[in-house]
PDB file of all heavy atoms in Angstrom:
ATOM      1  N   VAL A   1      -3.017  32.810  33.669  1.00 96.00           N
ATOM      2  CA  VAL A   1      -4.434  32.450  33.617  1.00 96.00           C
ATOM      3  C   VAL A   1      -4.663  31.354  34.657  1.00 96.00           C
ATOM      4  O   VAL A   1      -3.883  30.393  34.740  1.00 96.00           O
ATOM      5  CB  VAL A   1      -4.858  31.957  32.220  1.00 96.00           C
ATOM      6  CG1 VAL A   1      -6.275  31.387  32.260  1.00 96.00           C
ATOM      7  CG2 VAL A   1      -4.793  33.094  31.211  1.00 96.00           C
ATOM      8  N   PHE A   2      -5.737  31.515  35.430  1.00 97.00           N
ATOM      9  CA  PHE A   2      -6.054  30.554  36.489  1.00 97.00           C
ATOM     10  C   PHE A   2      -7.402  29.903  36.210  1.00 97.00           C
ATOM     11  O   PHE A   2      -8.340  30.565  35.741  1.00 97.00           O
ATOM     12  CB  PHE A   2      -6.101  31.245  37.852  1.00 97.00           C
ATOM     13  CG  PHE A   2      -4.795  31.846  38.289  1.00 97.00           C
ATOM     14  CD1 PHE A   2      -4.478  33.160  37.966  1.00 97.00           C
ATOM     15  CD2 PHE A   2      -3.873  31.106  39.023  1.00 97.00           C
ATOM     16  CE1 PHE A   2      -3.285  33.731  38.367  1.00 97.00           C
ATOM     17  CE2 PHE A   2      -2.677  31.660  39.424  1.00 97.00           C
ATOM     18  CZ  PHE A   2      -2.375  32.978  39.104  1.00 97.00           C
ATOM     19  N   HIS A   3      -7.462  28.624  36.530  1.00 96.00           N
ATOM     20  CA  HIS A   3      -8.728  27.899  36.472  1.00 96.00           C
ATOM     21  C   HIS A   3      -8.918  27.187  37.809  1.00 96.00           C
ATOM     22  O   HIS A   3      -8.050  26.444  38.251  1.00 96.00           O
ATOM     23  CB  HIS A   3      -8.731  26.882  35.332  1.00 96.00           C
ATOM     24  CG  HIS A   3      -9.975  26.048  35.285  1.00 96.00           C
ATOM     25  ND1 HIS A   3     -10.038  24.762  35.787  1.00 96.00           N
ATOM     26  CD2 HIS A   3     -11.212  26.328  34.812  1.00 96.00           C
ATOM     27  CE1 HIS A   3     -11.260  24.287  35.616  1.00 96.00           C
ATOM     28  NE2 HIS A   3     -11.994  25.206  35.029  1.00 96.00           N
ATOM     29  N   THR A   4     -10.037  27.444  38.461  1.00 94.00           N
ATOM     30  CA  THR A   4     -10.291  26.867  39.780  1.00 94.00           C
ATOM     31  C   THR A   4     -11.405  25.832  39.696  1.00 94.00           C
ATOM     32  O   THR A   4     -12.325  25.951  38.880  1.00 94.00           O
ATOM     33  CB  THR A   4     -10.688  27.960  40.790  1.00 94.00           C
ATOM     34  OG1 THR A   4     -11.892  28.594  40.350  1.00 94.00           O
ATOM     35  CG2 THR A   4      -9.597  29.002  40.909  1.00 94.00           C
ATOM     36  N   SER A   5     -11.313  24.839  40.549  1.00 92.00           N
ATOM     37  CA  SER A   5     -12.347  23.807  40.647  1.00 92.00           C
ATOM     38  C   SER A   5     -12.414  23.325  42.089  1.00 92.00           C
ATOM     39  O   SER A   5     -11.458  23.480  42.853  1.00 92.00           O
ATOM     40  CB  SER A   5     -12.051  22.635  39.700  1.00 92.00           C
ATOM     41  OG  SER A   5     -10.783  22.074  39.979  1.00 92.00           O
ATOM     42  N   VAL A   6     -13.540  22.747  42.450  1.00 90.00           N
ATOM     43  CA  VAL A   6     -13.748  22.234  43.805  1.00 90.00           C
ATOM     44  C   VAL A   6     -13.837  20.719  43.732  1.00 90.00           C
ATOM     45  O   VAL A   6     -14.671  20.169  43.005  1.00 90.00           O
ATOM     46  CB  VAL A   6     -15.024  22.832  44.425  1.00 90.00           C
ATOM     47  CG1 VAL A   6     -15.291  22.228  45.799  1.00 90.00           C
ATOM     48  CG2 VAL A   6     -14.909  24.353  44.533  1.00 90.00           C
ATOM     49  N   LEU A   7     -12.967  20.033  44.485  1.00 89.00           N
ATOM     50  CA  LEU A   7     -12.915  18.572  44.465  1.00 89.00           C
ATOM     51  C   LEU A   7     -13.031  18.020  45.879  1.00 89.00           C
ATOM     52  O   LEU A   7     -12.680  18.690  46.859  1.00 89.00           O
ATOM     53  CB  LEU A   7     -11.598  18.098  43.828  1.00 89.00           C
ATOM     54  CG  LEU A   7     -11.350  18.511  42.369  1.00 89.00           C
ATOM     55  CD1 LEU A   7      -9.990  18.014  41.924  1.00 89.00           C
ATOM     56  CD2 LEU A   7     -12.440  17.984  41.459  1.00 89.00           C
ATOM     57  N   ASP A   8     -13.514  16.798  45.975  1.00 90.00           N
ATOM     58  CA  ASP A   8     -13.641  16.127  47.268  1.00 90.00           C
ATOM     59  C   ASP A   8     -12.258  15.831  47.851  1.00 90.00           C
ATOM     60  O   ASP A   8     -11.348  15.391  47.142  1.00 90.00           O
ATOM     61  CB  ASP A   8     -14.415  14.818  47.120  1.00 90.00           C
ATOM     62  CG  ASP A   8     -15.871  15.052  46.760  1.00 90.00           C
ATOM     63  OD1 ASP A   8     -16.462  15.981  47.331  1.00 90.00           O
ATOM     64  OD2 ASP A   8     -16.404  14.327  45.900  1.00 90.00           O
ATOM     65  N   ASN A   9     -12.129  16.035  49.155  1.00 89.00           N
ATOM     66  CA  ASN A   9     -10.836  15.818  49.810  1.00 89.00           C
ATOM     67  C   ASN A   9     -10.376  14.366  49.713  1.00 89.00           C
ATOM     68  O   ASN A   9      -9.179  14.101  49.527  1.00 89.00           O
ATOM     69  CB  ASN A   9     -10.920  16.233  51.282  1.00 89.00           C
ATOM     70  CG  ASN A   9     -10.988  17.745  51.449  1.00 89.00           C
ATOM     71  OD1 ASN A   9     -10.681  18.489  50.517  1.00 89.00           O
ATOM     72  ND2 ASN A   9     -11.384  18.193  52.623  1.00 89.00           N
ATOM     73  N   ASP A  10     -11.302  13.420  49.838  1.00 89.00           N
ATOM     74  CA  ASP A  10     -10.884  12.019  49.808  1.00 89.00           C
ATOM     75  C   ASP A  10     -10.324  11.628  48.455  1.00 89.00           C
ATOM     76  O   ASP A  10      -9.362  10.860  48.355  1.00 89.00           O
ATOM     77  CB  ASP A  10     -12.034  11.101  50.208  1.00 89.00           C
ATOM     78  CG  ASP A  10     -13.259  11.297  49.324  1.00 89.00           C
ATOM     79  OD1 ASP A  10     -13.364  12.353  48.672  1.00 89.00           O
ATOM     80  OD2 ASP A  10     -14.115  10.382  49.292  1.00 89.00           O
ATOM     81  N   LEU A  11     -10.902  12.180  47.377  1.00 91.00           N
ATOM     82  CA  LEU A  11     -10.374  11.890  46.043  1.00 91.00           C
ATOM     83  C   LEU A  11      -8.996  12.510  45.848  1.00 91.00           C
ATOM     84  O   LEU A  11      -8.111  11.913  45.220  1.00 91.00           O
ATOM     85  CB  LEU A  11     -11.348  12.393  44.974  1.00 91.00           C
ATOM     86  CG  LEU A  11     -12.729  11.734  44.954  1.00 91.00           C
ATOM     87  CD1 LEU A  11     -13.602  12.355  43.873  1.00 91.00           C
ATOM     88  CD2 LEU A  11     -12.594  10.228  44.741  1.00 91.00           C
ATOM     89  N   LEU A  12      -8.829  13.737  46.375  1.00 90.00           N
ATOM     90  CA  LEU A  12      -7.516  14.384  46.279  1.00 90.00           C
ATOM     91  C   LEU A  12      -6.461  13.587  47.031  1.00 90.00           C
ATOM     92  O   LEU A  12      -5.333  13.404  46.541  1.00 90.00           O
ATOM     93  CB  LEU A  12      -7.587  15.802  46.828  1.00 90.00           C
ATOM     94  CG  LEU A  12      -8.216  16.872  45.929  1.00 90.00           C
ATOM     95  CD1 LEU A  12      -8.431  18.164  46.706  1.00 90.00           C
ATOM     96  CD2 LEU A  12      -7.347  17.123  44.710  1.00 90.00           C
ATOM     97  N   GLU A  13      -6.795  13.103  48.208  1.00 90.00           N
ATOM     98  CA  GLU A  13      -5.834  12.349  49.005  1.00 90.00           C
ATOM     99  C   GLU A  13      -5.477  11.024  48.344  1.00 90.00           C
ATOM    100  O   GLU A  13      -4.336  10.550  48.451  1.00 90.00           O
ATOM    101  CB  GLU A  13      -6.386  12.120  50.409  1.00 90.00           C
ATOM    102  CG  GLU A  13      -6.479  13.397  51.238  1.00 90.00           C
ATOM    103  CD  GLU A  13      -7.106  13.162  52.599  1.00 90.00           C
ATOM    104  OE1 GLU A  13      -7.598  12.030  52.832  1.00 90.00           O
ATOM    105  OE2 GLU A  13      -7.108  14.095  53.434  1.00 90.00           O
ATOM    106  N   GLN A  14      -6.435  10.410  47.626  1.00 91.00           N
ATOM    107  CA  GLN A  14      -6.139   9.172  46.912  1.00 91.00           C
ATOM    108  C   GLN A  14      -5.164   9.416  45.775  1.00 91.00           C
ATOM    109  O   GLN A  14      -4.232   8.639  45.554  1.00 91.00           O
ATOM    110  CB  GLN A  14      -7.433   8.558  46.368  1.00 91.00           C
ATOM    111  CG  GLN A  14      -8.349   7.970  47.428  1.00 91.00           C
ATOM    112  CD  GLN A  14      -9.649   7.463  46.826  1.00 91.00           C
ATOM    113  OE1 GLN A  14      -9.749   7.250  45.624  1.00 91.00           O
ATOM    114  NE2 GLN A  14     -10.654   7.271  47.676  1.00 91.00           N
ATOM    115  N   ARG A  15      -5.391  10.503  45.054  1.00 91.00           N
ATOM    116  CA  ARG A  15      -4.551  10.766  43.871  1.00 91.00           C
ATOM    117  C   ARG A  15      -3.238  11.430  44.242  1.00 91.00           C
ATOM    118  O   ARG A  15      -2.218  11.193  43.604  1.00 91.00           O
ATOM    119  CB  ARG A  15      -5.329  11.661  42.896  1.00 91.00           C
ATOM    120  CG  ARG A  15      -4.619  11.830  41.572  1.00 91.00           C
ATOM    121  CD  ARG A  15      -5.494  12.500  40.546  1.00 91.00           C
ATOM    122  NE  ARG A  15      -4.816  12.606  39.258  1.00 91.00           N
ATOM    123  CZ  ARG A  15      -5.337  13.179  38.185  1.00 91.00           C
ATOM    124  NH1 ARG A  15      -6.548  13.689  38.252  1.00 91.00           N
ATOM    125  NH2 ARG A  15      -4.649  13.240  37.055  1.00 91.00           N
ATOM    126  N   TYR A  16      -3.263  12.268  45.266  1.00 90.00           N
ATOM    127  CA  TYR A  16      -2.058  12.984  45.682  1.00 90.00           C
ATOM    128  C   TYR A  16      -1.819  12.708  47.169  1.00 90.00           C
ATOM    129  O   TYR A  16      -2.325  13.450  48.038  1.00 90.00           O
ATOM    130  CB  TYR A  16      -2.213  14.495  45.437  1.00 90.00           C
ATOM    131  CG  TYR A  16      -2.563  14.855  44.016  1.00 90.00           C
ATOM    132  CD1 TYR A  16      -3.880  15.153  43.668  1.00 90.00           C
ATOM    133  CD2 TYR A  16      -1.591  14.892  43.021  1.00 90.00           C
ATOM    134  CE1 TYR A  16      -4.216  15.489  42.362  1.00 90.00           C
ATOM    135  CE2 TYR A  16      -1.907  15.231  41.721  1.00 90.00           C
ATOM    136  CZ  TYR A  16      -3.217  15.531  41.387  1.00 90.00           C
ATOM    137  OH  TYR A  16      -3.554  15.854  40.097  1.00 90.00           O
ATOM    138  N   PRO A  17      -1.082  11.668  47.507  1.00 89.00           N
ATOM    139  CA  PRO A  17      -0.864  11.296  48.920  1.00 89.00           C
ATOM    140  C   PRO A  17      -0.244  12.402  49.753  1.00 89.00           C
ATOM    141  O   PRO A  17      -0.428  12.431  50.973  1.00 89.00           O
ATOM    142  CB  PRO A  17       0.066  10.087  48.816  1.00 89.00           C
ATOM    143  CG  PRO A  17      -0.151   9.534  47.438  1.00 89.00           C
ATOM    144  CD  PRO A  17      -0.432  10.715  46.584  1.00 89.00           C
ATOM    145  N   GLN A  18       0.498  13.329  49.118  1.00 89.00           N
ATOM    146  CA  GLN A  18       1.149  14.392  49.888  1.00 89.00           C
ATOM    147  C   GLN A  18       0.147  15.359  50.510  1.00 89.00           C
ATOM    148  O   GLN A  18       0.513  16.204  51.340  1.00 89.00           O
ATOM    149  CB  GLN A  18       2.141  15.167  49.004  1.00 89.00           C
ATOM    150  CG  GLN A  18       1.517  15.992  47.880  1.00 89.00           C
ATOM    151  CD  GLN A  18       1.404  15.227  46.583  1.00 89.00           C
ATOM    152  OE1 GLN A  18       1.161  14.025  46.577  1.00 89.00           O
ATOM    153  NE2 GLN A  18       1.616  15.926  45.466  1.00 89.00           N
ATOM    154  N   THR A  19      -1.135  15.262  50.119  1.00 88.00           N
ATOM    155  CA  THR A  19      -2.147  16.170  50.675  1.00 88.00           C
ATOM    156  C   THR A  19      -2.844  15.615  51.906  1.00 88.00           C
ATOM    157  O   THR A  19      -3.650  16.327  52.516  1.00 88.00           O
ATOM    158  CB  THR A  19      -3.215  16.474  49.602  1.00 88.00           C
ATOM    159  OG1 THR A  19      -3.892  15.254  49.260  1.00 88.00           O
ATOM    160  CG2 THR A  19      -2.591  17.069  48.353  1.00 88.00           C
ATOM    161  N   LYS A  20      -2.558  14.402  52.283  1.00 88.00           N
ATOM    162  CA  LYS A  20      -3.300  13.761  53.365  1.00 88.00           C
ATOM    163  C   LYS A  20      -3.142  14.554  54.667  1.00 88.00           C
ATOM    164  O   LYS A  20      -2.041  14.844  55.122  1.00 88.00           O
ATOM    165  CB  LYS A  20      -2.799  12.326  53.558  1.00 88.00           C
ATOM    166  CG  LYS A  20      -3.746  11.488  54.402  1.00 88.00           C
ATOM    167  CD  LYS A  20      -3.426  10.013  54.299  1.00 88.00           C
ATOM    168  CE  LYS A  20      -4.460   9.188  55.040  1.00 88.00           C
ATOM    169  NZ  LYS A  20      -4.224   7.740  54.920  1.00 88.00           N
ATOM    170  N   GLY A  21      -4.265  14.902  55.258  1.00 85.00           N
ATOM    171  CA  GLY A  21      -4.276  15.640  56.512  1.00 85.00           C
ATOM    172  C   GLY A  21      -3.948  17.107  56.395  1.00 85.00           C
ATOM    173  O   GLY A  21      -3.831  17.795  57.407  1.00 85.00           O
ATOM    174  N   LYS A  22      -3.809  17.625  55.177  1.00 85.00           N
ATOM    175  CA  LYS A  22      -3.414  19.028  54.998  1.00 85.00           C
ATOM    176  C   LYS A  22      -4.462  19.848  54.239  1.00 85.00           C
ATOM    177  O   LYS A  22      -4.201  20.993  53.892  1.00 85.00           O
ATOM    178  CB  LYS A  22      -2.088  19.101  54.232  1.00 85.00           C
ATOM    179  CG  LYS A  22      -0.931  18.371  54.901  1.00 85.00           C
ATOM    180  CD  LYS A  22       0.322  18.461  54.051  1.00 85.00           C
ATOM    181  CE  LYS A  22       1.485  17.698  54.679  1.00 85.00           C
ATOM    182  NZ  LYS A  22       2.706  17.747  53.818  1.00 85.00           N
ATOM    183  N   LEU A  23      -5.632  19.272  53.969  1.00 84.00           N
ATOM    184  CA  LEU A  23      -6.622  19.949  53.140  1.00 84.00           C
ATOM    185  C   LEU A  23      -7.617  20.733  53.992  1.00 84.00           C
ATOM    186  O   LEU A  23      -7.769  20.491  55.190  1.00 84.00           O
ATOM    187  CB  LEU A  23      -7.368  18.922  52.288  1.00 84.00           C
ATOM    188  CG  LEU A  23      -6.487  18.158  51.283  1.00 84.00           C
ATOM    189  CD1 LEU A  23      -7.290  17.088  50.573  1.00 84.00           C
ATOM    190  CD2 LEU A  23      -5.868  19.117  50.273  1.00 84.00           C
ATOM    191  N   SER A  24      -8.313  21.640  53.358  1.00 77.00           N
ATOM    192  CA  SER A  24      -9.303  22.461  54.049  1.00 77.00           C
ATOM    193  C   SER A  24     -10.547  21.637  54.339  1.00 77.00           C
ATOM    194  O   SER A  24     -10.821  20.638  53.664  1.00 77.00           O
ATOM    195  CB  SER A  24      -9.672  23.673  53.183  1.00 77.00           C
ATOM    196  OG  SER A  24      -8.517  24.387  52.792  1.00 77.00           O
ATOM    197  N   THR A  25     -11.308  22.067  55.319  1.00 75.00           N
ATOM    198  CA  THR A  25     -12.557  21.373  55.643  1.00 75.00           C
ATOM    199  C   THR A  25     -13.716  21.900  54.796  1.00 75.00           C
ATOM    200  O   THR A  25     -14.699  21.206  54.572  1.00 75.00           O
ATOM    201  CB  THR A  25     -12.902  21.544  57.125  1.00 75.00           C
ATOM    202  OG1 THR A  25     -12.949  22.950  57.443  1.00 75.00           O
ATOM    203  CG2 THR A  25     -11.843  20.878  57.988  1.00 75.00           C
ATOM    204  N   THR A  26     -13.584  23.130  54.315  1.00 70.00           N
ATOM    205  CA  THR A  26     -14.639  23.733  53.496  1.00 70.00           C
ATOM    206  C   THR A  26     -13.997  24.543  52.382  1.00 70.00           C
ATOM    207  O   THR A  26     -13.090  25.340  52.623  1.00 70.00           O
ATOM    208  CB  THR A  26     -15.552  24.654  54.332  1.00 70.00           C
ATOM    209  OG1 THR A  26     -16.105  23.900  55.406  1.00 70.00           O
ATOM    210  CG2 THR A  26     -16.676  25.215  53.475  1.00 70.00           C
ATOM    211  N   ALA A  27     -14.484  24.333  51.153  1.00 69.00           N
ATOM    212  CA  ALA A  27     -13.980  25.087  50.009  1.00 69.00           C
ATOM    213  C   ALA A  27     -14.719  26.416  49.919  1.00 69.00           C
ATOM    214  O   ALA A  27     -15.941  26.460  50.006  1.00 69.00           O
ATOM    215  CB  ALA A  27     -14.163  24.289  48.721  1.00 69.00           C
ATOM    216  N   SER A  28     -13.975  27.495  49.744  1.00 71.00           N
ATOM    217  CA  SER A  28     -14.584  28.826  49.652  1.00 71.00           C
ATOM    218  C   SER A  28     -14.655  29.253  48.194  1.00 71.00           C
ATOM    219  O   SER A  28     -13.719  29.059  47.428  1.00 71.00           O
ATOM    220  CB  SER A  28     -13.763  29.842  50.451  1.00 71.00           C
ATOM    221  OG  SER A  28     -12.450  29.935  49.944  1.00 71.00           O
ATOM    222  N   GLU A  29     -15.809  29.838  47.815  1.00 68.00           N
ATOM    223  CA  GLU A  29     -16.000  30.366  46.477  1.00 68.00           C
ATOM    224  C   GLU A  29     -16.414  31.825  46.596  1.00 68.00           C
ATOM    225  O   GLU A  29     -17.391  32.150  47.268  1.00 68.00           O
ATOM    226  CB  GLU A  29     -17.078  29.579  45.722  1.00 68.00           C
ATOM    227  CG  GLU A  29     -16.710  28.132  45.433  1.00 68.00           C
ATOM    228  CD  GLU A  29     -17.818  27.412  44.693  1.00 68.00           C
ATOM    229  OE1 GLU A  29     -17.824  27.463  43.449  1.00 68.00           O
ATOM    230  OE2 GLU A  29     -18.661  26.817  45.363  1.00 68.00           O
ATOM    231  N   LYS A  30     -15.655  32.698  45.920  1.00 67.00           N
ATOM    232  CA  LYS A  30     -15.944  34.128  46.021  1.00 67.00           C
ATOM    233  C   LYS A  30     -17.281  34.464  45.358  1.00 67.00           C
ATOM    234  O   LYS A  30     -18.098  35.202  45.903  1.00 67.00           O
ATOM    235  CB  LYS A  30     -14.815  34.936  45.372  1.00 67.00           C
ATOM    236  CG  LYS A  30     -15.045  36.434  45.406  1.00 67.00           C
ATOM    237  CD  LYS A  30     -13.822  37.199  44.979  1.00 67.00           C
ATOM    238  CE  LYS A  30     -12.762  37.166  46.068  1.00 67.00           C
ATOM    239  NZ  LYS A  30     -11.634  38.078  45.776  1.00 67.00           N
ATOM    240  N   THR A  31     -17.519  33.923  44.169  1.00 71.00           N
ATOM    241  CA  THR A  31     -18.762  34.164  43.441  1.00 71.00           C
ATOM    242  C   THR A  31     -19.299  32.842  42.947  1.00 71.00           C
ATOM    243  O   THR A  31     -18.553  32.041  42.385  1.00 71.00           O
ATOM    244  CB  THR A  31     -18.524  35.103  42.236  1.00 71.00           C
ATOM    245  OG1 THR A  31     -17.855  36.287  42.682  1.00 71.00           O
ATOM    246  CG2 THR A  31     -19.839  35.481  41.585  1.00 71.00           C
ATOM    247  N   LYS A  32     -20.585  32.606  43.151  1.00 79.00           N
ATOM    248  CA  LYS A  32     -21.176  31.354  42.692  1.00 79.00           C
ATOM    249  C   LYS A  32     -22.616  31.602  42.254  1.00 79.00           C
ATOM    250  O   LYS A  32     -23.220  32.623  42.588  1.00 79.00           O
ATOM    251  CB  LYS A  32     -21.127  30.290  43.788  1.00 79.00           C
ATOM    252  CG  LYS A  32     -21.848  30.660  45.073  1.00 79.00           C
ATOM    253  CD  LYS A  32     -21.686  29.561  46.117  1.00 79.00           C
ATOM    254  CE  LYS A  32     -22.398  29.935  47.412  1.00 79.00           C
ATOM    255  NZ  LYS A  32     -22.252  28.887  48.442  1.00 79.00           N
ATOM    256  N   TYR A  33     -23.126  30.658  41.492  1.00 76.00           N
ATOM    257  CA  TYR A  33     -24.488  30.764  41.006  1.00 76.00           C
ATOM    258  C   TYR A  33     -25.487  30.537  42.136  1.00 76.00           C
ATOM    259  O   TYR A  33     -25.166  29.980  43.184  1.00 76.00           O
ATOM    260  CB  TYR A  33     -24.739  29.730  39.899  1.00 76.00           C
ATOM    261  CG  TYR A  33     -23.905  29.945  38.666  1.00 76.00           C
ATOM    262  CD1 TYR A  33     -22.829  29.116  38.375  1.00 76.00           C
ATOM    263  CD2 TYR A  33     -24.204  30.965  37.777  1.00 76.00           C
ATOM    264  CE1 TYR A  33     -22.063  29.302  37.236  1.00 76.00           C
ATOM    265  CE2 TYR A  33     -23.444  31.171  36.634  1.00 76.00           C
ATOM    266  CZ  TYR A  33     -22.374  30.337  36.373  1.00 76.00           C
ATOM    267  OH  TYR A  33     -21.621  30.523  35.252  1.00 76.00           O
ATOM    268  N   ARG A  34     -26.725  30.957  41.894  1.00 77.00           N
ATOM    269  CA  ARG A  34     -27.809  30.678  42.825  1.00 77.00           C
ATOM    270  C   ARG A  34     -28.412  29.327  42.429  1.00 77.00           C
ATOM    271  O   ARG A  34     -29.351  29.254  41.641  1.00 77.00           O
ATOM    272  CB  ARG A  34     -28.869  31.774  42.760  1.00 77.00           C
ATOM    273  CG  ARG A  34     -28.341  33.140  43.176  1.00 77.00           C
ATOM    274  CD  ARG A  34     -29.473  34.147  43.252  1.00 77.00           C
ATOM    275  NE  ARG A  34     -29.003  35.412  43.817  1.00 77.00           N
ATOM    276  CZ  ARG A  34     -29.801  36.374  44.250  1.00 77.00           C
ATOM    277  NH1 ARG A  34     -31.112  36.211  44.191  1.00 77.00           N
ATOM    278  NH2 ARG A  34     -29.315  37.494  44.738  1.00 77.00           N
ATOM    279  N   TYR A  35     -27.818  28.275  42.961  1.00 74.00           N
ATOM    280  CA  TYR A  35     -28.220  26.937  42.563  1.00 74.00           C
ATOM    281  C   TYR A  35     -29.621  26.605  43.070  1.00 74.00           C
ATOM    282  O   TYR A  35     -30.039  27.053  44.134  1.00 74.00           O
ATOM    283  CB  TYR A  35     -27.233  25.895  43.110  1.00 74.00           C
ATOM    284  CG  TYR A  35     -25.816  26.070  42.623  1.00 74.00           C
ATOM    285  CD1 TYR A  35     -24.825  26.556  43.472  1.00 74.00           C
ATOM    286  CD2 TYR A  35     -25.470  25.748  41.320  1.00 74.00           C
ATOM    287  CE1 TYR A  35     -23.522  26.716  43.034  1.00 74.00           C
ATOM    288  CE2 TYR A  35     -24.171  25.905  40.873  1.00 74.00           C
ATOM    289  CZ  TYR A  35     -23.200  26.387  41.726  1.00 74.00           C
ATOM    290  OH  TYR A  35     -21.918  26.548  41.288  1.00 74.00           O
ATOM    291  N   ASP A  36     -30.335  25.790  42.282  1.00 72.00           N
ATOM    292  CA  ASP A  36     -31.616  25.274  42.741  1.00 72.00           C
ATOM    293  C   ASP A  36     -31.411  24.195  43.798  1.00 72.00           C
ATOM    294  O   ASP A  36     -32.200  24.066  44.730  1.00 72.00           O
ATOM    295  CB  ASP A  36     -32.412  24.698  41.567  1.00 72.00           C
ATOM    296  CG  ASP A  36     -32.865  25.787  40.601  1.00 72.00           C
ATOM    297  OD1 ASP A  36     -32.866  26.961  41.010  1.00 72.00           O
ATOM    298  OD2 ASP A  36     -33.210  25.466  39.455  1.00 72.00           O
ATOM    299  N   ASP A  37     -30.366  23.397  43.625  1.00 73.00           N
ATOM    300  CA  ASP A  37     -30.051  22.362  44.597  1.00 73.00           C
ATOM    301  C   ASP A  37     -29.246  22.952  45.750  1.00 73.00           C
ATOM    302  O   ASP A  37     -28.651  24.033  45.629  1.00 73.00           O
ATOM    303  CB  ASP A  37     -29.247  21.232  43.946  1.00 73.00           C
ATOM    304  CG  ASP A  37     -30.011  20.563  42.809  1.00 73.00           C
ATOM    305  OD1 ASP A  37     -31.245  20.569  42.870  1.00 73.00           O
ATOM    306  OD2 ASP A  37     -29.366  20.061  41.873  1.00 73.00           O
ATOM    307  N   SER A  38     -29.213  22.227  46.840  1.00 73.00           N
ATOM    308  CA  SER A  38     -28.384  22.621  47.978  1.00 73.00           C
ATOM    309  C   SER A  38     -26.975  22.072  47.755  1.00 73.00           C
ATOM    310  O   SER A  38     -26.738  20.870  47.889  1.00 73.00           O
ATOM    311  CB  SER A  38     -28.977  22.072  49.282  1.00 73.00           C
ATOM    312  OG  SER A  38     -28.163  22.409  50.378  1.00 73.00           O
ATOM    313  N   VAL A  39     -26.066  22.940  47.376  1.00 73.00           N
ATOM    314  CA  VAL A  39     -24.699  22.544  47.041  1.00 73.00           C
ATOM    315  C   VAL A  39     -23.813  22.745  48.261  1.00 73.00           C
ATOM    316  O   VAL A  39     -23.632  23.870  48.733  1.00 73.00           O
ATOM    317  CB  VAL A  39     -24.160  23.354  45.846  1.00 73.00           C
ATOM    318  CG1 VAL A  39     -22.741  22.925  45.505  1.00 73.00           C
ATOM    319  CG2 VAL A  39     -25.071  23.176  44.631  1.00 73.00           C
TER     320      VAL A  39
END
């Protein structure tokens, strides 16, 4: 079973130093809601 979430790169790098400089610039979502806000 998989659970996915989208997190800010700077927060990930603070909590997990091994990710510094290795993260994606944009998170991809296969299916998402039609948000009212600009996400």
Side-chain angles (χ1 to χ4, degrees):
V1 171
F2 297 90
H3 176 260
T4 61
S5 58
V6 176
L7 299 178
D8 292 319
N9 288 344
D10 57 340
L11 297 178
L12 282 170
E13 291 177 352
Q14 289 176 18
R15 188 170 182 182
Y16 305 100
Q18 67 268 35
T19 63
K20 195 166 185 178
K22 302 178 182 178
L23 297 175
S24 307
T25 55
T26 303
S28 61
E29 294 180 88
K30 179 170 286 189
T31 307
K32 59 183 179 180
Y33 296 106
R34 297 187 173 194
Y35 300 107
D36 292 342
D37 300 332
S38 178
V39 180

